[in-house]
Amino acid sequence: MMPNVRARTYSPRVPLDEALGRPASPNEGLTEHTVVAHWPGLDSYTPADEQRTWTSKDWAEHLEDPYLEHPFAASPDGDRHAILHLDIRLHPDDRELSGPEWSEAAHRLARAAGIEVPGAAEHGCRWIAVHAQPGRLDLIVNLIHLDGTWHTPPTDILRRLAGEARRIEQDLNLIPARTGPTKRPAARMVPAASAQLAGVLTQLADEQAGPLATVRGLVEHTAYRIARQPGAAGTDTAHRLELIARRLHAVQQDLDATAAHLVQPRVAAAPATARRTAHRSP
């Protein structure tokens, strides 16, 4: 089970599309089999007679509401990028978890990240956990508290998530993330030049501080602002900007995959003498 912390964004819509693995549909109801966990305060926040099967648009608006309720809330750095996206992936050879197991894992990871405060739902953040792709769980969070204060994640959030992931692996009898199914053959060292070039590509694709992440965040922020303007033209432009943000994210993923390919050890070819068949003496 491998956790990953994405760069903060302004809108939850692109993270939600990534979690679903497809563009979100405003008409598609996301049941408890997809949204496997959420902010505990939602139970008291939602009227008892309200339909509980929300669409992806409903969930996105739920995560956007703190912006409207607290228009001046900002991070310590003065920005309004309150959407935090965490994704957690199982080992490729692991079994698929049941719905309750995904839900338990989501709540435990949310507590480890400081997003959910046990016994104090009114002081936590709005968040949802989406399981729409095999072996993957996405937590999407709005860091603005109900009282308008800003939740600053701990500086060692990734270490905390990794520690809790190890405990979940033990409790649910999962394969540790670093364990491979078989031993790999001896490999040659990666050339220094390839490693340096891979480092450049990794910096470009970095979700925390890479230049593409900055550009993508600005595009998402602009799309959100334009979507709030009246008129169909603004809605169409916002949609086009969201598509651009998705393409930027795809470029980041391609760069990351290329960097991984550059540093992948190359297996040495077997010597010719090793392939010859031994002959018995007559």
Side-chain angles (χ1 to χ4, degrees):
M1 180 173 280
M2 202 64 149
N4 179 40
V5 181
R6 305 289 193 90
R8 289 187 290 111
T9 61
Y10 188 81
S11 171
R13 298 177 186 268
V14 172
L16 186 54
D17 287 353
E18 294 175 7
L20 293 172
R22 61 185 184 278
S25 169
N27 301 317
E28 178 187 11
L30 302 182
T31 67
E32 68 275 9
H33 300 293
T34 301
V35 180
V36 296
H38 52 70
W39 166 55
L42 183 61
D43 293 332
S44 58
Y45 180 86
T46 307
D49 59 348
E50 184 173 320
Q51 178 67 31
R52 296 307 303 273
T53 301
W54 289 4
T55 66
S56 55
K57 180 182 178 182
D58 293 330
W59 284 113
E61 291 178 347
H62 170 68
L63 292 171
E64 290 171 343
D65 280 348
Y67 283 126
L68 302 177
E69 296 169 358
H70 305 286
F72 302 107
S75 76
D77 295 329
D79 68 83
R80 295 260 290 167
H81 289 186
I83 302 301
L84 178 66
H85 181 195
L86 314 174
D87 70 78
I88 301 91
R89 304 177 190 235
L90 298 183
H91 188 281
D93 296 332
D94 232 325
R95 65 181 177 87
E96 181 64 26
L97 303 185
S98 66
E101 286 175 325
W102 280 120
S103 179
E104 177 188 351
H107 282 286
R108 289 176 60 171
L109 291 166
R111 289 194 291 270
I115 297 165
E116 179 177 309
V117 181
E122 68 277 7
H123 299 302
C125 303
R126 296 189 186 197
W127 62 271
I128 63 173
V130 178
H131 169 55
Q133 303 181 61
R136 171 169 171 162
L137 181 71
D138 290 76
L139 270 65
I140 307 174
V141 189
N142 190 310
L143 297 176
I144 300 176
H145 286 267
L146 297 187
D147 60 3
T149 58
W150 187 280
H151 173 77
T152 301
T155 55
D156 60 344
I157 181 175
L158 190 57
R159 182 186 64 81
R160 296 189 185 196
L161 289 170
E164 187 61 32
R166 300 292 83 76
R167 289 184 285 271
I168 294 173
E169 288 169 353
Q170 293 177 359
D171 294 344
L172 299 182
N173 195 28
L174 301 176
I175 300 174
R178 294 181 180 177
T179 299
T182 57
K183 291 185 179 180
R184 294 183 178 179
R188 294 175 179 172
M189 295 296 292
V190 178
S194 294
Q196 292 175 357
L197 294 173
V200 173
L201 297 182
T202 301
Q203 291 177 7
L204 290 173
D206 192 298
E207 286 280 0
Q208 299 298 322
L212 288 178
T214 302
V215 174
R216 183 175 144 211
L218 291 172
V219 171
E220 291 172 352
H221 175 72
T222 304
Y224 183 83
R225 292 284 300 273
I226 292 178
R228 295 289 177 179
Q229 302 298 319
T235 302
D236 180 64
T237 302
H239 179 65
R240 291 174 61 186
L241 288 173
E242 288 178 358
L243 293 177
I244 292 172
R246 291 176 196 161
R247 291 201 295 271
L248 284 170
H249 182 251
V251 170
Q252 288 177 279
Q253 291 180 317
D254 288 343
L255 287 172
D256 195 52
T258 303
H261 178 73
L262 276 174
V263 299
Q264 183 177 5
R266 295 180 176 85
V267 179
T273 55
R275 295 196 299 266
R276 292 174 183 167
T277 303
H279 295 279
R280 294 184 180 180
S281 301

